[in-house]
Amino acid sequence: MMDAPVSGGAAPLILYDGFAMAKTTDFNGKWALVTGASAGIGAALARELANHGAKLILTARRVDRLETLAGELRTRGTEVRIVVADLNDPVAPQKIFDATEGAGLSVDILINNAGLGQYGAFTQSEIAQELSQVRVNCEAMVRLTRLFVPRMVERRSGWVLILASTASFQPVPYISTYAATKAFDRFFALGLAAEVARFGVKVTALCPGPTESEFFDVAHAGAFKRRGIQSAEDVARLAIAALKRGQRTIIPYFRGRFTAFLVRFLPVGLITHYVEKEARPA
Ligand SMILES: NC(=O)c1ccc[n+]([C@@H]2O[C@H](COP(=O)([O-])OP(=O)(O)OC[C@H]3O[C@@H](n4cnc5c(N)ncnc54)[C@H](OP(=O)(O)O)[C@@H]3O)[C@@H](O)[C@H]2O)c1
């Protein structure tokens, strides 16, 4: 779903560029950094970027997973580097930057995908996992973006994908922290997109709904998984196409687009009331 352009005053304010930048949308031979590339949507995004000719920098904590994916991509002729990092660590983004852009690679595509959730009553939740969501989903994403985007601005070219979620469109009881981090991610992406568009840098917020990955196991959220699920490959294909054309928001399935549209017209208290009943742990 593309955000509506806003008009008013003397000159119209253009909130997305789209096809005007078509000549600069070629990913072939460009370096793409994918966080959370060891599983799920991140691994699918890496494969999809390789399909578009990009060279890949894969990062996550599980080095065995990264090596397996790197091996698969290399057999298809893709150049791949691996940087192992734990994004709970506030110095990890700088470490990733030093090993890539700082070592002479021009990272033109930044995929801020790494993330986690936790399902259950907040009062009984593991505080370490609550805070890890804030660090990985928000703080590390901001740090990485702050490190890489100024170079893109200097080069007058770049693409940034930020993983939000359909959970970013309303509060979601029992994944309260997670939904709040995703609202942060989506608003950050939209604000930054408006700041850097005039420098040729495109920022896209990806808002998937339930998607096949390890997310539900990590989050102990099997109940959410039962409601219909999209493949990570489908999400990645639609996301990279949207990123390439500079679309600011992509919700990669119809029901998600419809719900995100609908909640604009309903009182937030009413929505939260019903979601609380539906999401309440048994
Ligand atoms: N699946 C869904 O239904 C869904 C829906 C909407 C949005 N999303 C978003 O999509 C993104 C990817 O999630 P997914 O569904 O693909 O889940 P996933 O299969 O669990 O993958 C999560 C990825 O994030 C990495 N990660 C987690 N904690 C990390 C840390 N401390 N340091 C570095 N990397 C870390 C994991 O790598 P290691 O464990 O190897 O470090 C893994 O590669 C997340 O931002 C999530 O919020 C998912």
Side-chain angles (χ1 to χ4, degrees):
M1 189 176 69
M2 210 173 251
D3 303 291
V6 174
S7 61
L13 177 63
I14 298 165
L15 288 185
Y16 57 88
D17 36 16
F19 302 110
M21 304 288 283
K23 284 200 293 285
T24 62
T25 57
D26 189 1
F27 289 175
N28 200 36
K30 293 194 160 63
W31 281 106
L33 169 65
V34 181
T35 71
S38 61
I41 297 171
L45 286 166
R47 289 190 181 97
E48 183 62 17
L49 284 160
N51 291 343
H52 286 260
K55 300 182 279 190
L56 268 303
I57 301 155
L58 309 176
T59 180
R61 291 168 298 183
R62 287 172 291 178
V63 65
D64 53 327
R65 296 286 201 93
L66 296 178
E67 278 169 355
T68 304
L69 178 58
E72 175 198 318
L73 296 175
R74 284 183 187 124
T75 59
R76 291 164 46 189
T78 303
E79 199 175 334
V80 187
R81 309 276 174 96
I82 287 174
V83 183
V84 179
D86 181 349
L87 293 176
N88 280 306
D89 181 349
V91 303
Q94 185 68 51
K95 183 179 147 190
I96 294 168
F97 180 83
D98 291 346
T100 56
E101 187 86 42
L105 302 185
S106 288
V107 175
D108 288 313
I109 306 158
L110 171 63
I111 309 289
N112 278 306
N113 164 79
L116 72 156
Q118 176 168 231
Y119 172 64
F122 179 77
T123 50
Q124 291 158 32
S125 67
E126 284 177 36
I127 187 63
Q129 199 163 338
E130 296 293 336
L131 294 176
S132 182
Q133 292 171 68
V134 177
R135 276 193 223 104
V136 178
N137 302 3
C138 301
E139 183 183 339
M141 183 277 293
V142 171
R143 285 185 190 275
L144 283 165
T145 307
R146 179 64 182 81
L147 287 163
F148 285 96
V149 168
R151 298 291 180 93
M152 295 180 189
V153 166
E154 279 170 26
R155 293 192 290 266
R156 296 292 192 265
S157 172
W159 293 265
V160 181
L161 186 73
I162 295 175
L163 259 289
S165 167
T166 46
S168 71
F169 290 95
Q170 68 287 304
V172 187
Y174 307 111
I175 52 166
S176 298
T177 301
Y178 177 73
T181 66
K182 292 293 146 179
F184 176 97
D185 291 340
R186 187 167 68 84
F187 272 70
F188 175 80
L190 290 172
L192 183 66
E195 281 189 46
V196 296
R198 67 198 171 100
F199 302 111
V201 179
K202 294 165 180 175
V203 184
T204 299
L206 169 59
C207 305
T211 306
E212 194 62 64
S213 76
E214 296 168 16
F215 178 87
F216 298 93
D217 300 327
V218 174
H220 311 294
F224 283 83
K225 198 174 178 177
R226 283 198 295 273
R227 290 174 196 163
I229 198 146
Q230 194 169 16
S231 77
E233 290 68 32
D234 271 1
V235 170
R237 185 174 42 76
L238 294 163
I240 297 304
L243 181 67
K244 261 189 137 175
R245 61 177 178 263
Q247 189 173 320
R248 294 207 177 165
T249 304
I250 168 78
I251 305 173
Y253 68 119
F254 175 77
R255 193 174 157 198
R257 286 193 290 278
F258 179 70
T259 309
F261 177 76
L262 201 65
V263 297
R264 292 183 189 180
F265 305 102
L266 297 172
V268 69
L270 185 71
I271 301 165
T272 313
H273 175 78
Y274 282 105
V275 176
E276 190 279 326
K277 289 198 181 319
E278 207 172 315
R280 190 183 297 171

